Amino acid sequence: MTLTKTYPDGSTPKIAVIGAGISGICAAIQLQRQLHLSTYTIFELEPDIGGVWKNNTYPGAGLDSPAYLYGYSFAPNYDWSSKYVLQSEVLDYFRSTAKTYNIYDKIRFNTRVTNMKWNESRKKWILHWVNTSSSEQGDYEVDIVLHGSGLLRIPKVPKEFESFQGDMWHSARWNHSVDLTGKRVGVVGTSASGVQIIPVIADKIETLDVYGRSPAYITPMFNGGYGRTWRFFCRYVPFFYLFYTRLLYLLYDADFLLYNKLAWYSIFHRAVAYFVTWLHRFIQLPGNPTLRRKLTPQYELASRRIVLSNTYYPTFKRDNVSLHTDEIVSINGKAIETKDGSFRELDVLVLATGFDYSLNFPPGCWIGRGGVDIPTIWHDNPATYYGTFIPNAPNFFLLCGPNSIVVHLAVTHMIEIQVMHVIRSLSYMMQNDLSTIEIKQEAADQFMNTYDKRMDKLMFATKKMPKFLNSQGKCRVFWYGCVTEFWWRMRELHPERFLVQSRKEGAEKGHSHLNEVRDSNAIEQ
């Protein structure tokens, strides 16, 4: 489709992009590539780009999705060293891509956006920002906000661990100044981050105590390296790279079949995956049925993310490693006591306890049309339209937010689909000389009704995950289908689902009268 790149008078909107992680970088580059826009500013809390890949520098941090699927489609990297690469290589890729497109010049580093408020009379968002280095602060007025802070930004630190008196940190804020050699270390959490950390640190410390009441399903990681010949073929042989990445995409997107509760093909798919995880555990822990039982998940497969590792299980055969599956009942000084009576003195405690998305939007930080406090309305029940639009938030686009996360494929695919939908929206605004565009409440409600019905059919609904659930126990973070379905549903804008106002109307009347586009089509079910 042909994209309109300016308003009829030749002007362009002023845009704020919040976050310079993989979402913000993608949005900024596509604003330049697709719309030739330079009237945007990126606000980044950290001193450099990268988001989750800058902050998560813990030992063993790396991809569990194929690297060739993790890069942007418009910025292919032919030189990945292996199928699953470490954090430093991923970060280098995003930094290199940002430099290629001159994104650094558009970023305000060390700058936190503390609140956002919609000004109805001016049809603008007012962002209040604070520079964390200089304490300088001010307001920034924009027409459009693209919010891409992501899900994995604010570490979740359970309050019960705050009383620990030794060195303690979250896996996403690794303290590299502390040498773990010869120390007594505890790790809380046995999901993706914990599975990566534990095997890497076990050989250099005195003792390692692992606290995890709910072990993960783990499959082998077939992590082959890519040599010169392979890289040559990817770079120079016509269609080789395209064929390989498309084949990988189709294979991994088909893994969504694991998560459907009732379909016969999903049950077969899960049976195969269950056998693979059981065989992997049996082979890696031979002659130790007690340990195998402790490392066997007690929840249904695919109700949580499946983890890849070749080194996690063998770590527990070491004499200096202990696994605690009972509840932690007390923390006294540097000692942790569990329900079974185990009492362990530790020098260092590492929390691999995940992230708290709700803290991205505390009450009062995001005030939409009519003074609506959107985080308060959301509470633990975030409601969007395809994870991108929110009622009462004109000219506001959410990237990599609730209702749009996938666990079976690289998240960059979902981000690119959302960004292109934003690009179409901005083009539509400029083509039709609009000052605002906002999803209708009924459109969002119909999407969420469909969303809840589809989510009830998935395995996610069988396992409680408190930070992503509302009071009715509904999962509100993941996308309910495969990535291909998300692309299919987001391929067109459907302007009849939006409230819009023309720039001319706003200038003439000076008030917030909304011109609703004729609603001619039903919302997709």
Side-chain angles (χ1 to χ4, degrees):
M1 62 175 291
T2 302
L3 296 171
T4 301
K5 300 176 176 61
T6 67
Y7 283 110
D9 62 4
S11 64
T12 56
K14 188 177 180 181
I15 301 171
V17 179
I18 300 178
I22 57 179
S23 299
I25 295 171
C26 179
I29 292 174
Q30 293 292 55
L31 288 173
Q32 294 180 178
R33 291 181 71 248
Q34 302 292 338
L35 297 178
H36 302 166
L37 284 176
S38 59
T39 51
Y40 70 88
T41 299
I42 305 175
F43 294 85
E44 171 54 47
L45 177 61
E46 302 293 336
D48 202 351
I49 71 165
V52 64
W53 293 109
K54 178 195 172 298
N55 291 331
N56 284 262
T57 60
Y58 59 80
L63 285 176
D64 55 9
S65 295
Y68 276 104
L69 294 180
Y70 207 83
Y72 300 130
S73 63
F74 51 81
N77 178 18
Y78 306 111
D79 299 320
W80 294 111
S81 63
S82 60
K83 186 176 181 180
Y84 304 102
V85 300
L86 293 177
Q87 170 266 342
S88 58
E89 191 169 344
V90 182
L91 183 58
D92 287 344
Y93 165 77
F94 286 114
R95 285 176 173 170
S96 174
T97 303
K99 289 176 182 177
T100 298
Y101 288 94
N102 299 315
I103 300 300
Y104 273 88
D105 295 339
K106 307 292 290 184
I107 304 176
R108 290 189 179 186
F109 289 112
N110 300 308
T111 303
R112 180 195 302 273
V113 175
T114 59
N115 60 74
M116 306 165 284
K117 187 173 183 179
W118 174 253
N119 186 307
E120 183 63 39
S121 63
R122 295 183 56 78
K123 301 295 184 290
K124 307 278 188 182
W125 283 99
I126 311 299
L127 276 56
H128 186 74
W129 56 269
V130 176
N131 187 291
T132 57
S133 297
S134 64
S135 296
E136 181 185 2
Q137 58 182 300
D139 292 331
Y140 192 78
E141 186 180 80
V142 294
D143 302 297
I144 309 289
V145 174
L146 277 63
H147 200 289
S149 66
L151 283 170
L152 309 181
R153 186 172 73 88
I154 301 178
K156 182 180 180 180
V157 180
K159 291 185 180 298
E160 57 264 34
F161 296 107
E162 294 177 356
S163 62
F164 183 76
Q165 295 180 7
D167 291 316
M168 184 182 73
W169 57 79
H170 192 276
S171 59
R173 301 292 185 269
W174 195 271
N175 187 350
H176 292 278
S177 66
V178 177
D179 184 3
L180 297 183
T181 303
K183 285 188 165 53
R184 300 167 299 176
V185 180
V187 175
V188 179
T190 53
S191 292
S193 298
V195 168
Q196 290 183 336
I197 293 169
I198 289 164
V200 178
I201 66 173
D203 63 344
K204 64 178 181 179
I205 61 182
E206 179 181 333
T207 60
L208 174 60
D209 288 275
V210 178
Y211 297 89
R213 299 175 61 190
S214 184
Y217 282 98
I218 299 177
T219 62
M221 174 180 279
F222 300 105
N223 191 18
Y226 297 116
R228 291 183 181 179
T229 303
W230 180 272
R231 297 178 195 181
F232 176 87
F233 270 63
C234 284
R235 187 180 295 275
Y236 296 111
V237 175
F239 304 112
F240 182 85
Y241 174 85
L242 183 63
F243 174 79
Y244 175 67
T245 53
R246 292 299 178 269
L247 179 62
L248 266 185
Y249 169 85
L250 292 173
L251 289 173
Y252 277 81
D253 202 24
D255 278 348
F256 172 74
L257 297 176
L258 278 170
Y259 300 99
N260 194 302
K261 280 195 287 190
L262 301 177
W264 66 267
Y265 48 79
S266 296
I267 294 172
F268 174 78
H269 209 98
R270 277 199 302 280
V272 173
Y274 183 85
F275 175 76
V276 170
T277 60
W278 173 85
L279 184 63
H280 184 53
R281 193 164 54 246
F282 184 84
I283 291 174
Q284 293 211 315
L285 297 171
N288 199 332
T290 301
L291 185 55
R292 283 203 304 270
R293 279 196 298 272
K294 293 180 73 173
L295 288 167
T296 298
Q298 300 303 309
Y299 57 88
E300 294 184 74
L301 185 141
S303 59
R304 280 175 47 185
R305 188 177 189 180
I306 298 174
V307 182
L308 283 67
S309 179
N310 296 331
T311 57
Y312 180 70
Y313 287 142
T315 302
F316 291 96
K317 295 189 293 184
R318 299 177 61 95
D319 293 336
N320 67 331
V321 178
S322 301
L323 174 63
H324 306 274
T325 57
D326 284 278
E327 180 183 359
I328 295 174
V329 294
S330 68
I331 299 175
N332 297 308
K334 294 184 177 183
I336 294 182
E337 183 180 2
T338 56
K339 191 174 182 179
D340 64 351
S342 171
F343 189 86
R344 309 288 287 187
E345 288 273 355
L346 304 174
D347 301 308
V348 177
L349 185 62
V350 176
L351 303 179
T353 48
F355 299 84
D356 194 336
Y357 179 72
S358 63
L359 295 180
N360 281 2
F361 296 109
C365 81
W366 181 10
I367 307 298
R369 188 191 297 278
V372 173
D373 187 339
I374 294 173
T376 298
I377 292 177
W378 272 10
H379 189 48
D380 292 326
N381 183 20
T384 70
Y385 175 79
Y386 289 98
T388 309
F389 299 91
I390 301 94
N392 300 307
N395 300 358
F396 192 100
F397 304 93
L398 194 61
L399 304 175
C400 198
N403 317 139
S404 66
I405 301 301
V406 292
V407 298
H408 66 284
L409 196 64
V411 70
T412 42
H413 292 280
M414 299 294 280
I415 291 169
E416 284 201 51
I417 294 169
Q418 286 183 302
V419 167
M420 280 309 302
H421 204 72
V422 172
I423 295 297
R424 294 188 192 100
S425 301
L426 297 181
S427 175
Y428 180 82
M429 289 182 68
M430 290 186 285
Q431 180 183 9
N432 294 277
D433 202 24
L434 302 177
S435 62
T436 65
I437 186 169
E438 173 191 348
I439 193 66
K440 293 180 180 179
Q441 184 67 56
E442 56 264 35
D445 290 344
Q446 289 189 45
F447 166 72
M448 292 307 303
N449 287 336
T450 301
Y451 179 92
D452 287 337
K453 290 177 183 177
R454 289 285 299 270
M455 286 301 298
D456 284 343
K457 298 178 181 179
L458 300 186
M459 296 300 296
F460 296 132
T462 68
K463 178 70 177 177
K464 288 191 175 183
M465 290 170 283
K467 64 181 177 180
F468 295 143
L469 295 178
N470 65 11
S471 58
Q472 285 75 44
K474 296 179 181 178
C475 182
R476 287 292 179 90
V477 63
F478 301 111
W479 167 242
Y480 59 63
C482 62
V483 174
T484 302
E485 182 181 359
F486 190 76
W487 165 80
W488 179 258
R489 291 184 176 276
M490 294 284 278
R491 74 193 187 281
E492 297 179 2
L493 182 61
H494 296 289
E496 71 278 359
R497 301 174 187 177
F498 293 87
L499 302 170
V500 300
Q501 181 178 11
S502 72
R503 298 169 80 201
K504 182 179 180 181
E505 178 187 4
E508 289 177 349
K509 296 184 178 181
H511 59 71
S512 59
H513 173 69
L514 292 176
N515 175 34
E516 295 191 14
V517 178
R518 181 173 58 89
D519 190 356
S520 59
N521 297 323
I523 305 301
E524 286 180 285
Q525 297 297 312

